[in-house]
Amino acid sequence: MKGFLGKISMSLLIAIAVLAFYSFVLEPESLTVKYLKLSKDKGIRVLFFSDLHMSRFYGFHERLIKKIRELNPDYIVFGGDALKPNTNFDDLERFFTSLSEIAPVYAVVGNWDFDKLSRVKAVYRNSGVHLLDGDTVKLIGDTGCINLVGMPLSQKYTTPADKDILLVSHYPHAVARYYGPDPIICLSGHTHGGQFYIPLVSNIILKSKYPILKGEGKFGAYRVFVTNGVGSWLHLRFLAPPQLVVLEF
């Protein structure tokens, strides 16, 4: 009996060690790409990502920039939360400057950015990033255009645009504060895809706070996509790998 229990204990320890290695070492350093082909009549490719949560620039960020370059976007949109408590702002500026050399970059404000917004704005200004804090800009493609609408963090917003709207907010539930024409799709982050995602369990526990925890769904009448983001807390991820989203218009 003792031998059997010993084997069970050893198996559990090995399983825990494997899970910890995968969750703290492998998955946070991986990178996935989600493609959303919404149309192809405008000739526009938009790359969306969120929740960078950078402390210091390291190899993962080099690979992130390289992958974004390989995906060859016409525009890059960042869904907010560039910061961590110990962010190196010189490194953050280096990262966004590299992105701006690939394509025009637009960003919305995340909750972690809000308390140091003046410094975040300086980083964006120095690196060529356009901050959309309740603004609408036109993205022009080879054969058409769309209107990029950047929601403010915690306020209602409408837009002067009347069609072809790509709505971006940091919070998934921010679409409830939007009262303009129906968007083609609403993009957001913030949830990290649950970060440590347990199928069914995570959705049940977090559903009251996040009706859409990750991936595509409907918020009222709106089509919504919630990305996993690319950063994390405690360098921990499980079944919610870092994610880039490519949208074809």
Side-chain angles (χ1 to χ4, degrees):
M1 188 66 176
K2 287 185 178 180
F4 175 75
L5 291 175
K7 288 179 180 179
I8 293 293
S9 299
M10 181 58 68
S11 297
L12 285 174
L13 287 173
I14 292 171
I16 291 169
V18 170
L19 177 62
F21 181 76
Y22 177 80
S23 301
F24 285 99
V25 178
L26 295 184
E27 187 168 303
E29 293 292 314
S30 67
L31 192 58
T32 61
V33 181
K34 173 68 176 180
Y35 292 88
L36 295 174
K37 293 185 178 180
L38 303 169
S39 74
K40 283 199 170 181
D41 61 347
K42 303 180 188 304
I44 303 174
R45 171 175 277 204
V46 175
L47 184 137
F48 174 67
F49 75 107
S50 186
D51 300 278
L52 181 64
H53 292 299
M54 176 185 284
S55 52
R56 290 186 173 274
F57 191 102
Y58 74 108
F60 174 77
H61 301 108
E62 291 277 12
R63 289 189 284 109
L64 184 57
I65 291 166
K66 181 181 178 183
K67 186 62 178 179
I68 291 173
R69 185 178 289 111
E70 289 173 356
L71 292 169
N72 194 30
D74 300 303
Y75 300 94
I76 299 169
V77 179
F78 175 60
D81 271 6
L83 304 187
K84 271 187 173 180
N86 57 344
T87 296
N88 182 299
F89 284 89
D90 290 337
D91 282 2
L92 190 65
E93 187 172 318
R94 173 187 172 189
F95 175 83
F96 279 107
T97 298
S98 296
L99 285 191
S100 295
E101 293 169 354
I102 299 171
V105 182
Y106 296 89
V108 296
V109 177
N111 56 297
W112 274 91
D113 307 325
F114 187 76
D115 289 340
K116 295 185 178 180
L117 191 54
S118 61
R119 297 199 68 182
V120 172
K121 285 182 176 179
V123 167
Y124 287 164
R125 184 170 57 251
N126 294 339
S127 58
V129 174
H130 309 281
L131 180 63
L132 303 180
D133 189 12
D135 302 285
T136 299
V137 296
K138 196 174 291 294
L139 305 185
I140 300 172
D142 295 333
T143 53
C145 62
I146 59 174
N147 294 290
L148 175 63
V149 176
M151 285 284 292
L153 186 62
S154 302
Q155 298 172 355
K156 291 183 178 181
Y157 184 68
T158 188
T159 173
D162 60 358
K163 63 178 182 178
D164 298 323
I165 291 166
L166 172 59
L167 183 69
V168 179
S169 60
H170 180 65
Y171 296 130
H173 53 272
V175 297
R177 293 187 271 102
Y178 170 76
Y179 57 100
D182 286 0
I184 301 169
I185 195 168
C186 310
L187 302 177
S188 63
H190 182 64
T191 68
H192 299 192
Q195 190 160 308
F196 193 92
Y197 181 76
I198 303 172
L200 298 179
V201 175
S202 293
N203 292 91
I204 292 170
I205 292 174
L206 297 172
K207 190 170 182 60
S208 62
K209 189 172 184 180
Y210 303 117
I212 303 171
L213 184 61
K214 63 190 295 190
E216 190 169 340
K218 297 282 284 187
F219 194 103
Y222 297 155
R223 182 181 181 183
V224 173
F225 187 88
V226 181
T227 181
N228 294 345
V230 296
S232 62
W233 295 113
L234 304 176
H235 204 256
L236 167 68
R237 280 187 176 270
F238 180 72
L239 298 184
Q243 185 179 62
L244 300 173
V245 184
V246 176
L247 303 99
E248 301 277 3
F249 293 94

